[in-house]
Amino acid sequence: MAETPRFEDLLARLEGLVKALEGEELDLERALDAFEEGVRLARACHGRLDQAERRVEALRRLPGGEVGTEPFPAGEDEP
């Protein structure tokens, strides 16, 4: 089973693609491939941020002032 990349790694790859696209040195086909990968990475990053937000909300809503987490089912937004 492949290891899930860290959020920071996904974001760094996305930033690299943006720089490459802004550099105007890619031919059309490579630019389209980079854009497509960038869209996938942006969606994956957004999904991770949504998951983190839900975890924080669950922590804030625990009864009795206890600190803990509640598991969330895996969503469709996971890579």
Side-chain angles (χ1 to χ4, degrees), residues 50-71:
D50 283 346
Q51 289 175 340
E53 183 178 4
R54 289 192 306 259
R55 286 182 66 189
V56 169
E57 288 174 358
L59 283 168
R60 291 176 44 199
R61 285 187 264 149
L62 289 177
E66 296 178 26
V67 176
T69 61
E70 296 176 7

Side-chain angles (χ1 to χ4, degrees), residues 28-50:
L28 178 61
E29 198 62 38
R30 292 179 85 165
L32 288 172
D33 289 344
F35 181 78
E36 185 177 7
E37 182 182 355
V39 169
R40 281 194 308 269
L41 289 168
R43 288 178 180 161
C45 287
H46 183 67
R48 298 271 182 93
L49 291 173
D50 283 346

